[in-house]
Amino acid sequence: MNAENKKQAPAWCPGCGDFAILAALNKALAASGIDRKRLVLVSGIGQAAKLPHYTDANVFNGLHGRALPAATGIKIANHSLDVIITSGDGDMYGEGGNHFLHAIRRNIGVKAFVHNNQVYGLTKGQASPTSDIGFVTKIQTHGVVSVPVNPLALAVVEDCSFVARSCVAFPEHLEKMMVEAIKSKGFALLDILQNCVTFNKVNTFKWYKDRCKELPADYNPRDRENALRTSMKWGDEIPIGVIYRSDRKSFEEMTPALAAGPLAERYGK
Amino acid sequence: MNAENKKQAPAWCPGCGDFAILAALNKALAASGIDRKRLVLVSGIGQAAKLPHYTDANVFNGLHGRALPAATGIKIANHSLDVIITSGDGDMYGEGGNHFLHAIRRNIGVKAFVHNNQVYGLTKGQASPTSDIGFVTKIQTHGVVSVPVNPLALAVVEDCSFVARSCVAFPEHLEKMMVEAIKSKGFALLDILQNCVTFNKVNTFKWYKDRCKELPADYNPRDRENALRTSMKWGDEIPIGVIYRSDRKSFEEMTPALAAGPLAERYGK
Amino acid sequence: MDTNIRITGEAGQGVQTIGGLLADSFAALGLNVYATQSYMSRIRGGVNSYDIRISDAPLYSAREEADLLVALNRESLDSNLAAVSSAGKAVFDGADGGDSVVSLDMTGAAKEAGGSARMVNSVAAGVVFAALGYKPDRLFDALTNQFKKLGEEAIAKNHACVGKGIEIAGQLKGAVKAPEPGKAPLGEVVSGSEAIGLSAAVAGVKVVSSYPMTPSTGVFTHLAYLADKYGIVVEQAEDEIAAINLVCGATFAGVPAMTTTSGGGFALMAEGISLSGMLELPAVVFLSQRPGPATSQPTRTAQQDLHFAAFAGHGEFARAIYAPGTIAQAYDLMRKAFETAHKFQSPAILMADQFITDLQQNIAALSAAPNPIDRLIIENHAADYVRYAVTDSGISPRAIPGGGAFVVLDSDEHTPDGHLTEDLDERVMQQDKRMRKEEGMIAEVLAPEIYPLPAAEVFLCWGSSYGPCREAVDILRARGRDVCLAHFPQVWPIDPAKALAALGGRKVTAVEGNCNAQFALLLRMAGALGEFGAITRYDGLPFTAEYIVRRAQK
Amino acid sequence: MDTNIRITGEAGQGVQTIGGLLADSFAALGLNVYATQSYMSRIRGGVNSYDIRISDAPLYSAREEADLLVALNRESLDSNLAAVSSAGKAVFDGADGGDSVVSLDMTGAAKEAGGSARMVNSVAAGVVFAALGYKPDRLFDALTNQFKKLGEEAIAKNHACVGKGIEIAGQLKGAVKAPEPGKAPLGEVVSGSEAIGLSAAVAGVKVVSSYPMTPSTGVFTHLAYLADKYGIVVEQAEDEIAAINLVCGATFAGVPAMTTTSGGGFALMAEGISLSGMLELPAVVFLSQRPGPATSQPTRTAQQDLHFAAFAGHGEFARAIYAPGTIAQAYDLMRKAFETAHKFQSPAILMADQFITDLQQNIAALSAAPNPIDRLIIENHAADYVRYAVTDSGISPRAIPGGGAFVVLDSDEHTPDGHLTEDLDERVMQQDKRMRKEEGMIAEVLAPEIYPLPAAEVFLCWGSSYGPCREAVDILRARGRDVCLAHFPQVWPIDPAKALAALGGRKVTAVEGNCNAQFALLLRMAGALGEFGAITRYDGLPFTAEYIVRRAQK
Ligand SMILES: Cc1ncc(C[n+]2csc(CCOP(=O)(O)OP(=O)(O)O)c2C)c(N)n1
Ligand SMILES: Cc1ncc(C[n+]2csc(CCOP(=O)(O)OP(=O)(O)O)c2C)c(N)n1
Ligand code: SF4
Ligand code: SF4
Ligand SMILES: [Mg+2]
Ligand SMILES: [Mg+2]
């Protein structure tokens, strides 16, 4: 079976960073040796959330903001499946903010790839929780005044198993981060800076490309204090890479009812 | 008019830390010279959330988890009112977690006093988001496995205007923190460690009393990195005091429509 | 012959402990036990009460009057004294209960017997047994059972307290007429919550995710208690939205899953219910009602959420709602909800309320042997499998991920393969397909129960009003009124034919725990009812036979 | 005489720009303009279209056929060609549109005229004007107006493009029959969203809090646009739950406040709606419908959420729901929703849909002068003021915080002073008080409009179906059928008397944009309707007169 879905042509704008994420995902899945039949892509609603339709996988494209609890339920019911979320910044940090806060605590082995374009794409350009201060939209007519959410720092504070950032302007790095996230145990957050050519004229491809800098080779992601400091950086230089790793046990490991094997496969036996 | 509400006798258990919070609040309001008629106490649902009924104030006792948006609406409609939230840890960090995340970003001048007893009191003892790992309940029969929420660290990450912790075992400190919170500009978070004599037999009055230590006099709450480090401390020693201050502008200051005065008072004029 | 014993006191005084102890002991005596609770939304203080009604004949309702009142504090005594029956007795734990009250220092007696103040519970139970003239053997057994974990000494002390209670009962001994033991089938006392939780476990629920909310927490807690035995993952969610979406995810991946909640939490789930309709997932919701709107009376009972449950969620899709009238029926219908959800790949709701979840009765033992429902999942599906094949029944063969082909679900309108579509004809085909499932559900709707036989007048009821209505019908028929009841254990969807068969041409009085007679209105909407009268209750208390009779005779 | 012009292309090609430009120019010509949009849930690609129907007589519906089709790409041409009327013309931007299509290189023409590829919009508008045989003056004006911010050069280039369009139109000139200008009252083109937003601003809304959701975002955006002028705080909420609770808080503190949403977001607000019922706060919700369940068709239209809106939220409480049939009525009813919410201190919903919010017409100017509603707040209340005084009407004098006495609100059941109570009699008093407000609302329910006059057969409709139904009635009556319409601008609560007066004894056919004929069912629930037929539509498109006529003649 082919790794690309033949039926659906992406409904994204030409030039949208989502294409790069799709391409990187296909490569990362291949590199990770993932059996597509045992892969579930989970998403909410938004431009990013359409991704699962454009590749081959089992798909749960649910409600806006609710990818995390759905993915959690899937992973609990069958923890032998690979469960990856591909959804937007509004989806995961706005409508889905409470699940974000609590999924990390739970540390279930779901990998969340967040297409962070700092804007609400599908609903035509309102501010998202990650929009920079001053970002002007038809709703935020005088510009955003709220401090942006910093998902990475929040995740480090919550001792998230795997916390990384990448960017569509660095496709190989992006693929590598995906592979690392998939390899990691427990909950993984990969925040992906993604250009929206239509509604975000500030944080463009070039804007990201100019600012993103890979973490140095000797960076130690297990140093939490440093990770916290690193995750707080934003502006002229934006670090990309694996910012933090923790060796907490995963939900699956800590849940006695799962010890004998996947619930869905043992059912009735 | 008297500062204590005559009609309602608190429905709390004898020995509950909520009594100390009520007493401290009455003192802090007096010390702050607050006009009770211009004070609104906002709460969700829970044991803590009953507090507004036991003193004199305007009261908005709304839905479980929704104190923050209600308080936000009140403050927007009339920013000349003092708006204080008194609610529980489940209310503010569990059901209300998304509002918590975003209220801090918005920095509206609401003061949130969270009765953090690390348990769901009113519903008879399930784990709350702040319950320690290993805490056994009738639902978490093998003990809590999720990493507890650290509201203070999250607030520092989000550059919250005022972040403090106190504890019912230190009533004068508690009162002082309330006064400071009320005096501060923008959003204030005061997390109050509170014993629940009925459902939390681990984090008792003594447990808190033994561990809480006031921050040193030379502690600088404007040092964000240090504040972050301080807010991450939990265990044998738990710091209490004003952990972080930021000088961000408040929502009221940044919103043009509020410049001419409170909306509710200018209505139709 | 029946006797109603009421234990009352403030929260935290042990009202529940005494009540539970007595209920178990009476059941062991071979009495029919019917135990109900009334409590406030607080952990200490206030006035709570626990009624244990016992009889030599089956019981279906609580009684308003108490034949024996045991009050543990002054406020409870005062607020319950008027409810003591004419031949009844009131006992007060203390010195000066006042005229017509038997004042016994039960707390003092507990200490005298070498126990602690808390053991007043055992003293009180002894007093009750003495007053009813029952031998205390079964009470001793129950205590032995209850304290076996704490060891011999605790057992001995509690037994001594019972003895002391019997001793101080004095002139009260045998003063309250009591039914003859040994007439009821022996069986354990079980609550509505326990029956429902057990049924779900037996039916094979594997994932339970809820946010605590009275009065649904009992089922959630019981499932947590059963989790290890049945291999269930019970996960407290951060909120109700997470709970329902987690359940949707778990059913997609292939296991029966459910959530438990009450009105306010259910409101937060409305979008998720709509999702399970669209994705065609068998999400099961246990909805335990309390009065509304908003927080209202958290520990009280009501039947106010029927319209909301029938229409919750945007868009149009099929759902089934069951509403049990007895504990045994609750056990059966919990399973039925799982079966219907899986057969029609649609949300199913078991709708109960505070009254029936807290209700305790001794009934024929409920099977605890695992008996997982058929998930109706197709295995070994071919590579050209599509999730939403258009069929006559509207039911598409359901596969789960991990098999021979991709399983694709989308909350957007989709083509049969589950992928997003903007095609308007596909939309109509899928929407029609989904709606056809409702026709299938209607064909299988549970018929109403008519009791005892068709009559000129019908009390129309659903859910927990069954028992009180049934006793009211018995009373009114004994007085010569030609009345029966029609109880609907399933309230959605509606089969107008079945409803008309039960109600057509008769004088209908809806007996409902709400303001608007919601079920009667649903029947009228379905074209199955014209004019009707109503006996409603919405003060937070459950119906009683007396209440219905009083209102029916107005 | 009317002509329907359809501009079609993929998202991002400027279909909306051309459509808007033409609509404005036609309006300036004194034509009646009725413009509707059809678009997909994507930002680029797909097939979108913009219909501008023009006439010398008032218009009430879109038309299915196009008399002039302008297709900007191949896919759009292909999917719209069959819809060209027999005497109609199709224009394609490109070389080879095929037989029966006029192929014009409009993009090339734009460049030739010195403009950019984007200025194809102005070329296309020129072609349309030429085909219709209208003088281009008003089109020039509209362009001048549109580009005045960009300066003289932009204006000049666009004017040149229009000229080029007229030039290349060639044999197309005057080939499409068009209505005579100057017959319609001059007025600006306004959309449903703009009318609703303006009305709220004029009525004095001071706090607007929403989470974006198609098709409600237009109103939200227009309010943000008006915010500075009217002194409104427009705050994007983190989710819909925050939005409705923020609105509750703001109304408590004393200002009219509202939220805007669609089905899925409304589902998340259900608990908050119940809260506003309990706290007796005038929360106003603008609910713009799209098809369901779940995400379904985000950019399409439906009337599927009526049952849900009527019963959303747990418990029983009063609410009002208005559903406008025209843009002018939308303006009026938005205000009415605020007035009713404040008079009855209850939630009120303005229920529209994608069709009517995106609909654009030139109508008599809507007043933009601030005209704040009376909040009906008592001032200078005494120290013994209580918020929930029990009154005959159920309406208690409402004060806001900051005055002479405390204003206390509790979502638990409360005593008149707003404090939590466990007293069951107080509960009944307050619940009865709240329910009495529904009686008051019923007395004020807006009566249905009968058009043109009572007939043997009635098309029963509500909300946006009004216009298409009205044209269908005109067509059928012209063919001799004795039919009228009954349009209900208010759909909840229901006054059975008013409904019976309109429908009693007639043959009723419900015309509704849903599967179940939801409003007809509500009427039957209320005892105001027996048997009925139904013409339903739920493919995502709005009704048209043709659709209704076709179905009515089956
Ligand atoms: C409950 C609910 N509220 C709102 C919406 C409307 N909505 C759809 S996508 C979206 C935001 C999309 O932003 P983001 O998640 O950042 O994704 P992007 O389109 O930018 O990739 C919103 C608000 C919805 N579908 N459901
Ligand atoms: C939507 C909703 N879900 C659940 C509940 C039930 N509930 C009431 S209070 C509470 C938790 C209380 O815990 P916390 O906020 O920590 O307050 P505490 O009682 O410990 O002071 C819950 C789950 C509710 N009232 N509403
Ligand atoms: S709107 Fe933005 S995010 Fe959406 S497809 Fe276009 S470029 Fe991508
Ligand atoms: S249960 Fe706990 S939190 Fe609630 S009143 Fe009692 S001691 Fe306080
Ligand atoms: Mg985005
Ligand atoms: Mg708590």
Side-chain angles (χ1 to χ4, degrees), chain A residues 23-34:
Chain A
L25 179 68
N26 280 325
K27 286 189 192 153
L29 291 173
S32 305
I34 296 247

Side-chain angles (χ1 to χ4, degrees), chain C residues 41 295 304 316 411 432 538, chain D residues 295 304 316 411 422 432 538:
Chain C
S41 183
T295 313
Q304 285 194 294
E316 293 165 295
S411 71
D432 284 344
Y538 48 89
Chain D
T295 311
Q304 285 194 295
E316 293 164 294
S411 70
E422 291 266 6
D432 285 344
Y538 48 90

Side-chain angles (χ1 to χ4, degrees), chain D residues 38 82 126 142 154 206 212 308 315 330 375 385 398 420 470 494-495 503:
Chain D
S38 161
K206 288 295 160 233
F308 182 37
R375 293 175 295 175
Y385 168 79
R398 172 170 168 246
L420 192 162
R470 182 174 159 140
I494 285 168
D495 178 352
L503 308 174

Side-chain angles (χ1 to χ4, degrees), chain C residues 105-120 122-123 152-165 167:
Chain C
D105 181 7
M106 296 190 286
T107 307
K111 290 179 190 155
E112 257 179 61
S116 66
R118 275 215 78 86
M119 289 187 196
V120 65
S122 299
V123 176
E152 287 302 325
E153 198 192 325
I155 295 175
K157 277 191 187 164
N158 276 285
H159 282 201
C161 283
V162 167
K164 198 77 192 173
E167 186 188 317

